[in-house]
Structures are given as structure tokens and as C-alpha cells.
Amino acid sequence: MTNNTLTNQMENTVEAKMLTGERAMFFAHDSQIQDCTFADGESPLKHASDIDVAGTNFRWKYPMWYAENVKVADSVIFKDGRAGIWYTNDITVRDTVIEAPKNFRRCTKVSLENVDFTDASETLWHCSTVALNNVRAKGDYFLMDSSDLKISHLTLVGNYPFDGVKNAEIRSSRLISKDAFWNAENITIYDSYISGEYFGWNSRNITLVNCTVESHQGFCYIDNLVMKNCKILNTDLAFEYSRVDIESTTPIQSVKNPLGGTIRAPAIEEVIMEEERVDTSRTTIITDAKHKEGEK
């Protein structure tokens, strides 16, 4: 049976089939795909629209490009399904494992819930209107140059994430990531844990609320950095050339040459203010005298 014949004979449901060959269900639409395997053929669901996919395995390259209105559940994109979902609009993926890197490029209206990315390298690039809930990802360069993000309960292990991101709200997440949020704009992070060097360079309008962070030479070159009720741990040479409004509930290891604003902390072990580099009168530093004297 040719691929075209298979597509033409579909009557809404394709179930428990092994589908092979290039473009196995090209232009599939208004269909349910249940317990199938796509193998040995590129672009099986290219230009698909209005499809529900469940319990299905994707074992080859480019599974869904140029697709529209897609729902995927309880499925697996295996390692060879790389570059799996590109140029796709309105896709929901839940309870799924994605082994392949370079997934989701230039997509819009992406919703991911309870998804595991075992190799998230270069994933979710240039996407817009993205919602992530209970997503686990391991890999570098996650979510580059994407915009309008709503993220909750993300666990990420990987460097250089969120480079160039705009308009993101992140809640209750754990990011083990150096060089996170470079060149980013309009980012708000609540109730999260972030560990990694050089957080947030060359960004603007970054707000952290009730977060725990540690970052060697972090929070530098930021225009309008706000930290409310945060724990700033193991962080040195912070805030260099940044405009800040900082409220730390823990002592800060060292601060260097902020451009201006206010820094409040129980104590700061070292303050480096070089008058030849910055106008030191623009920065107010408030510490707890009792803490400094070692009183309880």
C-alpha cells in the first residue's frame, strides 16, 4: 500500500500500525492516531492538521513540521526523531518523553505538560506563546530567543538557557544553569531556585521574588534588576554595572560597582566601589548593624 493510498483511506482513526517511508501520513487531517509507530521515514506528519496522537512512537527525523492544531499524549519521540517539531502552530504535548534534541523551532502556541526532555539541547528556539508545566529538561541552550512564556515547575539542568527571551513569567522552578537569562527582557521569577555563574548579563527588567540564588559574578550589566525577599548565597562580585533594587534575606559575599540603586542585606562581606568606574553616590547600601557586630 502506498503512502498516498493509506492517507486517502483514513477514516478518522489509525490504530496500532507500523508506518514507514517518507511522509507516511503527509497532510493528515481530522484524524486520531493511536498506538502507532512511525519508523524509517522522514517527515511522517508534515503539514498535518487537527490531529490527536496518543500512545505513539516517533523513531525517525522531522516528525511534525508545518503542522496545525495538534495534540500529543502518552507518546515518545526517540533519539533519532531529532528536529522533531518545527514551524508548527497550536500544539499541546503531555505525558510524553522526548529523547531527541533540537525540538520545537519557530513554533507558536506551544503547551507542554508533564514532558521529559532527556536531551534538551537547542530546544524551544524562536518560539512564541509557550506554556510549560511540570517539564524536566537536560541540555544546553534551552529556550533561546523565545517570547511570551508562562512556566511553572520546570526542572532544568543545562547551561545558557533563556538567551534572548522576552516576556517570561517563571514560577516554582529549579534551574541549574550558568549564563542563564543573558540578553533577556521583561522576566519575572517567583519562588524558584537558581544556581549558576554569570546570571543575567546584558539584560533589562529582571525581577526575582522569593527566590534562592547563587551565582559567581552574577547579576551584572542589568538595567533594572529587582530582587524581593531573596536568599543570595555563595554570590560574589555581584551587580557590576547594574541598576538595582535588592532585598536579600541572607548575607552577600561581595558586591562590585553597581551603577545605582539600593541594596539591602543583613551583611555584605566585601563592597568594592571604584570611584573611577562608577558614581558611587548613586548607590545606597543598607546592612543590619546588629548582624555585622555578631549580635543575636
Side-chain angles (χ1 to χ4, degrees):
M1 181 180 293
T2 66
N3 295 335
N4 288 339
T5 302
L6 174 64
T7 302
N8 291 337
Q9 289 184 355
M10 282 193 310
E11 294 182 358
N12 296 324
T13 300
V14 178
E15 188 172 1
K17 291 186 178 294
M18 172 70 75
L19 303 167
T20 61
E22 188 171 353
R23 299 187 177 190
M25 291 184 65
F26 187 59
F27 263 107
H29 60 89
D30 300 302
S31 302
Q32 295 181 344
I33 300 167
Q34 177 76 48
D35 297 327
C36 292
T37 295
F38 291 96
D40 299 327
E42 296 179 2
S43 307
L45 287 171
K46 193 172 186 180
H47 286 289
S49 62
D50 301 300
I51 60 171
D52 286 2
V53 180
T56 291
N57 298 325
F58 296 90
R59 295 186 174 274
W60 207 242
K61 292 181 285 188
Y62 322 138
M64 278 176 273
W65 281 38
Y66 306 105
E68 182 91 18
N69 190 19
V70 175
K71 293 181 175 62
V72 179
D74 302 302
S75 296
V76 180
I77 299 179
F78 284 89
K79 186 175 181 180
D80 288 334
R82 56 192 299 119
I85 301 168
W86 289 27
Y87 307 105
T88 286
N89 177 58
D90 195 3
I91 180 167
T92 298
V93 181
R94 61 179 178 81
D95 303 316
T96 289
V97 175
I98 300 178
E99 284 193 320
K102 300 184 180 181
N103 253 288
F104 298 97
R105 294 281 186 91
R106 301 189 184 277
C107 296
T108 59
K109 294 182 66 177
V110 177
S111 179
L112 307 180
E113 183 170 3
N114 197 27
V115 172
D116 287 299
F117 290 96
T118 61
D119 184 354
S121 301
E122 302 180 30
T123 288
L124 283 161
W125 281 18
H126 310 292
C127 294
S128 62
T129 316
V130 176
L132 307 183
N133 183 38
N134 197 31
V135 168
R136 293 159 295 277
K138 185 176 182 179
D140 295 342
Y141 294 104
F142 190 69
L143 271 165
M144 187 174 78
D145 288 334
S146 290
S147 62
D148 303 309
L149 314 179
K150 293 281 189 179
I151 296 173
S152 179
H153 296 92
L154 168 66
T155 300
L156 173 64
V157 179
N159 298 321
Y160 327 115
F162 300 97
D163 192 337
V165 158
K166 293 183 179 180
N167 308 327
E169 180 183 289
I170 300 170
R171 295 180 179 272
S172 303
S173 295
R174 296 177 66 84
L175 312 179
I176 315 302
S177 309
K178 76 174 183 179
D179 292 4
F181 298 98
W182 278 45
N183 313 299
E185 184 174 345
N186 303 334
I187 310 297
T188 306
I189 306 171
Y190 300 92
D191 306 308
S192 296
Y193 173 82
I194 304 165
S195 177
E197 303 169 332
Y198 314 117
F199 178 99
W201 284 33
N202 310 311
S203 295
R204 63 191 304 264
N205 301 334
I206 308 293
T207 299
L208 291 84
V209 181
N210 301 330
C211 291
T212 298
V213 295
E214 54 178 4
S215 183
H216 165 64
Q217 208 166 340
F219 313 104
C220 301
Y221 301 95
I222 299 175
D223 184 7
N224 189 28
L225 169 67
V226 178
M227 301 179 73
K228 299 179 181 179
N229 196 40
C230 289
K231 297 178 181 179
I232 303 176
L233 308 174
N234 306 319
T235 296
D236 63 340
L237 304 175
F239 315 128
E240 187 173 20
Y241 301 123
S242 292
R243 292 179 174 85
V244 300
D245 182 2
I246 306 300
E247 180 191 354
S248 177
T249 62
T250 58
I252 301 171
Q253 187 172 340
S254 65
V255 167
K256 182 178 181 180
N257 286 345
L259 286 180
T262 302
I263 301 170
R264 306 170 189 85
I268 300 173
E269 294 180 21
E270 182 181 23
V271 177
I272 303 166
M273 298 291 281
E274 300 172 314
E275 293 183 354
E276 68 274 20
R277 306 292 182 205
V278 295
D279 182 351
T280 60
S281 68
R282 294 180 178 271
T283 300
T284 300
I285 295 177
I286 302 170
T287 57
D288 185 341
K290 289 184 179 181
H291 189 285
K292 186 174 181 181
E293 294 166 5
E295 297 179 10
K296 294 183 180 180

